[in-house]
Amino acid sequence: MAGRYGRPRSFLGMRSLAGQVFLLQVAIVVLLVAASVTALVLQSRAGSEREARNRSVAVAETFANAPGMEAALRSPDPTAVLQPKAEAARKGSGVDFIVVMDLDAVRYTHPLPDRIGKKFVGEVGPALDGRVVTEKVDGTIGPLVQAVVPVFGADGEVVGLVSAGITIKTVSGVTESQFPLLFGTAGGILLLTMGGTALVTRRLKRQTHGLGPTEMTRMYEHHDAVLHAVREGVVIVSGDGRLLLANDEARRLLGLPAEVEGVPVAELGLDPVITTLLTSGRSATDEVHSVGDRLLAVSQRSTDRNGGPPGSVTTLRDTTELQALSGRAAMARGRLKLLYDAGTEIGTTLDVMRTCEELSDFATARFADYSTVDVAEEVLRGEEPTAAGAAIHGLRRTAFSGSRDDTGLSPLGAVIRFLPGTDIGAALLRGEAVLDPDLTTRSGWQEPDPANADHIVECGFHSLIAVPMRARGVVLGVAMFWRARMPDPFEDEDLSVAEELVARAAVSIDNARRYSREHNVAVTLQRSLLPRGLPDQTAIDAAYRYLPAQAGLGGLGGVGGDWFDIIPLPGARVALVVGDVVGHGLHAAATMGRLRTAVHNFSTLDLPPDELLWHLDELVARIDQDEAADGSEGGGVTGATCLYAIYDPATGRCAMARAGHLQPVVVSPDGEAVFADVPGGPPLGLGGLPFETYDVELPPDSRLVLYTDGLVEERHRDIDEGLELLRETLAGHPDRTPEETCEAVLRALVPGRARDDVALLVGRTLRLAPENVADWDVPSDPSAVARVRSDVSRKLAEWELVEEAFTTELILSELVTNSIRYATGPIGVRLIRDRTLICEVSDRSSTSPHLRQAASMDEGGRGLFLVAQLAERWGTRYTDDGGKVIWTEQPLPTDTDGPV
């Protein structure tokens, strides 16, 4: 057959195509292996010379820098000293010679003793200048590489030269010893590749069914003749969407150019529907598609059946005679596209009002001239909708869309009622849609307001569709579509489209309603758990802002777990707290409440910040374990963060610690804003790492700014950029009040609606006036108690608190006496006149006193009980030096204004 068509016969007498491919592949593999072996041999030779240079330089430099080299060169007989060492080094290093010479290149050492004292053969000029020189020479022992290096004296001058050399044969011997392994590996690769080639040839033989080039040529020519002669378009597309074959008829029907084989179908400029069908590979039978002015019946099958290649074969038949059906096909396709677009444009947010507006706007743009959406009041409030009978009696007009407002249709916000006796009212009660193609017949829609109905008809309204919005078996509201400018009335097919459109919108509205209900509940819960106001204290002038996340913003809508707190502490001190719980919704809000309560409880123990966070971390870990044991999915607290700071207005000291939280900002009185270098700790619940306290003194009128990550982190802004923007906003404004600072920060960092919860707490530090603080050092002597009582009485008289003197003396007498009796080290007494009268007694003992009930015959045990009865509050806190402070608070007289 090959001779018949003038084609050359197959080479080497191989009949099958697979055999010819096998021979060709074997030849290619042999050439590649031979080339690889040659390259490796050449590379080994180059490597041998490089190795000889490196070794000769290394040996020469090592010997030249050996200890005592300079002394040996300056000795009376350098040869006697250096010859044994040079020979030992030569044998140990494997080089062929090590020669030491003077500055005139006269040898002191040589492997052959008869050459000592003779001139060195080679280039030594660069070495005399202090450089290393290497050269390749042909010596008496063969081609070699020698290096000459200088020997430097103590003064940095060259005092001698050292040369080391090695023959290339010596180095290449190591490499050449590996040639058997190299050639063996090459042979193994050759055998392996030939085996792989045999497998590929076997596979090719199965694919070609053992046919030779002649038989395959004949088969191709027959198939080619059939494809070009048949009056039906044939298109073959590969699995990756490329056009493999298109016969003449397919080119004509699809308008394809001559050379399109191998071009992706998506780049052919075909109708999108045909393109999608050809690239999808799905099966199709006589599907009718419009291509240009033709209607094509398209059938498609996969080619990978029975082991064939991936792809599809498509046949096209021209059915232009069915042109009458093209209008209906286009209409159906338009309606499908309308419903598809509705799915992407309606329900983009979890907001009932917005979803109703999207439905109304979409319908007006694509389906009707005017549209209205009326929703039950319960749905707007996020409550569960009632039955259809109650819904149609009180619907609120939520959305209106149309080109004119003076049409007679009820405006936004109006209450819409449908009479059950009318066709529309009865149908809506049954949950059915209503089509009224001719409003001029007054079929009952006009009964609620006949005069207004006349005005609607006069404005050109001629057709109406009313569809109840149903979800989970109840009616949420009614959507109504009107036509005025469009001359064609609504038809039954339009009714089907309207029902599908409203059904999709109803699901989105119900989801938005349920989300709004959960969001409102979460907001209510969270606000009930957050502080209602600022507590009375004189340590700081504080202001705060809390912004909950807005519903429906990018999936982040819903309340989160951010919280803040200002907790008055004994000694006129105050604790500032900011925290964040990962997540949104009811669980995050409830978890926030648990953590805030825990912080309040731990703060009553008057713990330093690091210890308080450690206890809080342990609590969170136990909560996680308990909820994991209960099988609560997603109920853990791991990931919560917290920043806890304690400010003392008497000393101006502020101690801070953080657990996974962002660093606070400290604004100095001159307006400089810096981030406090509070050591970072792990988020709460992880455990394993300690927390550290950062202690700093804050001048009066400093600003301490605490916040959560929602303030600085935003979808389109990196958190580092947000932190820098916060610092720049705070800097340079020392005259701002805390309220003004909060407003400025929110304007700069949260200009719109918050996508995440934002908690911001700003405190301006205050100091207690010196005249409102008095302290004394008390010696550890019982006789000192009387002096303390006397000093305290005078100070209270100075403060015009004479009425409190007796009670205060009793309290201090008991506390100081206990410290003298049971504690060690210095004892301190401090009085603070704040909103209350605060007494503090400090010592170096870490033992905390405890209340006990003394029996009637006991001589002691009643002192602390007496203190608890006389003071409004009392307690103990521990200091950093291992001691403690026992404090009491007494109410001031009502006519006392407190400290100035």
Side-chain angles (χ1 to χ4, degrees):
M1 182 63 69
R4 175 181 175 183
Y5 287 96
R7 294 180 175 84
R9 295 184 178 274
S10 59
F11 67 97
L12 299 180
M14 297 295 293
R15 185 179 187 282
S16 68
L17 180 63
Q20 297 177 20
V21 172
F22 175 78
L23 290 179
L24 181 61
Q25 289 181 334
V26 169
I28 294 174
V29 169
V30 171
L31 290 176
L32 290 176
V33 172
S36 301
V37 171
T38 303
L40 290 174
V41 171
L42 295 176
Q43 183 180 2
S44 68
R45 292 181 178 177
S48 298
E49 183 175 344
R50 183 170 58 254
E51 175 62 22
R53 291 181 183 274
N54 294 338
R55 190 183 297 183
S56 62
V57 171
V59 172
E61 287 184 338
T62 302
F63 196 83
N65 296 321
M69 191 66 181
E70 180 182 3
L73 289 172
R74 300 183 185 278
S75 66
D77 188 2
T79 300
V81 177
L82 296 175
Q83 177 68 7
K85 295 182 179 180
E87 285 301 295
R90 178 182 66 82
K91 295 176 182 179
S93 61
V95 298
D96 291 288
F97 66 86
I98 297 178
V99 175
V100 182
M101 63 196 84
D102 61 10
L103 297 179
D104 295 327
V106 177
R107 301 187 182 100
Y108 287 144
T109 67
H110 196 279
L112 301 177
D114 59 339
R115 298 189 182 182
I116 297 176
K118 297 181 180 180
K119 275 283 207 177
F120 175 79
V121 180
E123 179 67 26
V124 297
L128 292 174
D129 295 334
R131 301 193 304 272
V132 177
V133 59
T134 61
E135 58 182 345
K136 180 179 179 183
V137 298
D138 290 327
T140 57
I141 57 177
L144 57 85
V145 175
Q146 63 185 11
V148 181
V149 301
V151 178
F152 295 96
D155 56 355
E157 297 294 327
V158 177
V159 299
L161 303 174
V162 175
S163 175
I166 184 171
T167 61
I168 296 177
K169 181 179 179 181
T170 302
V171 179
S172 62
V174 178
T175 305
E176 291 175 356
S177 63
Q178 300 178 359
F179 281 171
L181 176 62
L182 176 63
F183 289 116
T185 303
I189 294 175
L190 180 60
L191 293 177
L192 181 62
T193 54
M194 290 183 66
T197 302
L199 294 176
V200 172
T201 303
R202 184 178 179 184
R203 174 66 177 175
L204 180 60
K205 186 174 182 180
R206 286 200 304 269
Q207 293 291 332
T208 59
H209 302 286
L211 296 176
T214 303
E215 290 82 359
M216 295 184 66
T217 300
R218 183 172 62 250
M219 182 182 298
Y220 168 79
E221 291 172 343
H222 290 174
H223 289 181
D224 187 68
V226 172
L227 285 174
H228 289 286
V230 69
R231 299 304 300 169
E232 185 168 334
V234 178
V235 176
I236 299 179
V237 179
S238 65
D240 59 355
R242 295 183 177 274
L243 184 66
L244 298 181
L245 182 144
N247 66 350
D248 295 342
E249 184 66 9
R251 297 173 191 271
R252 184 183 69 84
L253 295 176
L254 298 177
L256 298 176
E259 299 295 331
V260 291
E261 283 76 11
V263 178
V265 175
E267 298 178 6
L268 294 176
L270 300 177
D271 184 85
V273 178
I274 292 294
T275 301
T276 303
L277 176 61
L278 293 177
T279 56
S280 66
R282 64 178 178 85
S283 296
T285 302
D286 291 334
E287 290 186 3
V288 178
H289 294 278
S290 176
V291 179
D293 58 349
R294 297 186 180 91
L295 283 178
L296 303 182
V298 183
S299 298
Q300 183 169 276
R301 294 292 184 272
S302 175
T303 59
D304 58 0
R305 296 182 180 181
N306 301 323
S312 61
V313 57
T314 307
T315 59
L316 310 169
R317 287 185 292 108
D318 190 355
T319 57
T320 309
E321 63 275 8
L322 301 177
Q323 188 68 36
L325 297 177
S326 61
R328 292 182 178 271
M331 185 178 301
R333 186 172 62 187
R335 286 175 177 147
L336 289 176
K337 188 175 187 307
L338 183 144
L339 295 177
Y340 172 79
D341 293 341
T344 61
E345 298 181 22
I346 300 176
T348 59
T349 64
L350 290 172
D351 184 85
V352 174
M353 299 283 290
R354 180 58 188 156
T355 303
C356 293
E357 292 171 356
E358 290 173 345
L359 170 60
S360 178
D361 293 341
F362 181 84
T364 302
R366 305 282 296 274
F367 182 67
D369 294 323
Y370 294 86
S371 60
T372 59
V373 180
D374 308 322
V375 180
E377 294 281 1
E378 297 90 340
V379 176
L380 294 176
R381 294 193 299 267
E383 301 174 1
E384 194 71 20
T386 58
I392 68 170
H393 290 304
L395 302 179
R396 180 74 61 181
R397 178 138 297 175
T398 309
F400 174 89
S401 180
S403 59
R404 294 174 52 186
D405 296 331
D406 58 343
T407 57
L409 298 177
S410 299
L412 287 175
V415 177
I416 309 300
R417 292 180 174 83
F418 297 93
L419 300 179
T422 63
D423 293 340
I424 294 181
L428 295 179
L429 281 174
R430 298 190 300 268
E432 299 175 357
V434 175
L435 168 62
D436 192 340
D438 188 3
L439 298 180
T440 60
T441 61
R442 305 296 201 275
S443 57
W445 65 273
Q446 78 286 352
E447 291 187 9
D449 192 349
N452 191 55
D454 293 338
H455 179 63
I456 292 176
V457 174
E458 291 174 359
C459 290
F461 288 79
H462 59 80
S463 186
L464 164 68
I465 290 179
V467 183
M469 293 187 294
R470 297 171 56 88
R472 298 182 295 112
V474 295
V475 176
L476 307 177
V478 177
M480 304 181 70
F481 309 103
W482 312 75
R483 279 187 178 174
R485 291 175 299 157
M486 296 183 184
D488 298 331
F490 287 119
E491 300 176 351
D492 291 336
E493 293 181 354
D494 297 319
L495 180 62
S496 301
V497 173
E499 289 177 326
E500 180 68 22
L501 185 66
V502 173
R504 297 188 181 192
V507 174
S508 299
I509 291 174
D510 189 56
N511 289 338
R513 177 200 61 79
R514 298 170 68 183
Y515 182 85
S516 298
R517 178 184 60 183
E518 180 179 347
H519 180 265
N520 292 336
V521 172
V523 168
T524 303
L525 172 63
Q526 186 180 44
R527 292 196 180 278
S528 67
L529 296 174
L530 288 173
R532 300 296 180 89
L534 298 178
D536 293 334
Q537 47 82 34
T538 57
I540 61 171
D541 179 15
Y544 66 90
R545 293 292 186 274
Y546 178 78
L547 301 178
Q550 297 296 321
L553 290 182
L556 293 178
V559 171
D562 293 17
W563 93 92
F564 65 93
D565 231 326
I566 300 178
I567 306 174
L569 297 178
R573 298 168 303 138
V574 67
L576 306 178
V577 191
V578 169
D580 186 5
V581 176
V582 175
H584 295 81
L586 286 172
H587 180 266
T591 302
M592 175 271 291
R594 298 166 73 179
L595 294 184
R596 179 171 178 255
T597 302
V599 171
H600 267 271
N601 292 335
F602 289 140
S603 67
T604 59
L605 302 177
D606 216 344
L607 300 173
D610 56 339
E611 291 187 27
L612 184 141
L613 291 182
W614 182 83
H615 285 288
L616 193 62
D617 181 69
E618 289 288 313
L619 174 64
V620 171
R622 288 196 300 270
I623 292 175
D624 284 340
Q625 292 175 359
D626 294 342
E627 294 188 353
D630 294 341
S632 301
E633 183 177 356
V637 192
T638 302
T641 66
C642 183
L643 173 64
Y644 188 82
I646 297 177
Y647 174 69
D648 187 350
T651 63
R653 305 297 298 181
C654 182
M656 296 176 278
R658 62 189 179 106
H661 205 81
L662 296 173
Q663 292 178 329
V665 181
V666 176
V667 184
S668 63
D670 59 0
E672 181 184 3
V674 296
F675 289 97
D677 192 17
V678 182
L684 298 175
L686 298 183
L689 294 176
F691 300 99
E692 299 181 35
T693 296
Y694 174 73
D695 199 341
V696 63
E697 182 175 352
L698 300 179
D701 289 332
S702 298
R703 270 69 168 177
L704 184 60
V705 182
L706 286 69
Y707 54 93
T708 57
D709 58 356
L711 179 68
V712 295
E713 191 172 18
E714 211 268 343
R715 179 181 300 177
H716 304 295
R717 181 180 63 206
D718 187 73
I719 189 170
D720 292 335
E721 297 177 4
L723 290 172
E724 181 60 22
L725 180 58
L726 173 62
R727 190 195 65 79
E728 293 175 354
T729 304
L730 294 172
H733 300 280
D735 55 340
R736 282 178 179 167
T737 66
E739 286 287 343
E740 292 172 344
T741 302
C742 288
E743 290 296 330
V745 169
L746 292 182
R747 281 197 306 269
L749 281 89
V750 192
R753 304 171 68 187
R755 292 182 175 271
D756 195 6
D757 283 16
V758 175
L760 175 64
L761 180 60
V762 179
R764 181 174 65 90
T765 58
L766 306 175
R767 286 288 183 91
L768 294 177
E771 60 269 18
N772 291 324
V773 180
D775 50 13
W776 300 270
D777 292 329
V778 181
S780 184
D781 184 357
S783 62
V785 177
R787 187 166 60 253
V788 170
R789 296 177 62 175
S790 175
D791 293 340
V792 168
S793 296
R794 284 195 299 271
K795 177 57 67 174
L796 293 179
E798 180 183 333
W799 286 347
E800 299 180 356
L801 296 175
V802 178
E803 296 179 0
E804 304 296 322
F806 178 75
T807 302
T808 306
E809 289 179 15
L810 288 179
I811 292 175
L812 288 177
S813 295
E814 178 59 31
L815 297 180
V816 173
T817 301
N818 282 342
S819 294
I820 294 174
R821 180 178 299 176
Y822 300 110
T824 59
I827 300 173
V829 174
R830 183 168 71 167
L831 284 182
I832 299 175
R833 183 177 64 153
D834 193 51
R835 295 181 181 274
T836 59
L837 180 61
I838 302 170
C839 301
E840 295 181 348
V841 177
S842 61
D843 56 47
R844 291 297 180 87
S845 173
S846 61
T847 304
S848 175
H850 61 278
L851 212 63
R852 68 175 185 173
Q853 298 291 336
S856 59
M857 301 300 295
D858 290 345
E859 295 182 0
R862 297 179 177 84
L864 198 57
F865 179 79
L866 180 63
V867 170
Q869 296 298 315
L870 295 176
E872 186 178 52
R873 297 172 59 211
W874 75 280
T876 304
R877 70 174 182 269
Y878 296 94
T879 58
D880 296 336
D881 57 2
K884 69 176 182 298
V885 175
I886 305 175
W887 56 269
T888 64
E889 290 185 2
Q890 301 166 243
L892 295 177
T894 56
D895 58 347
T896 302
D897 296 332
V900 179

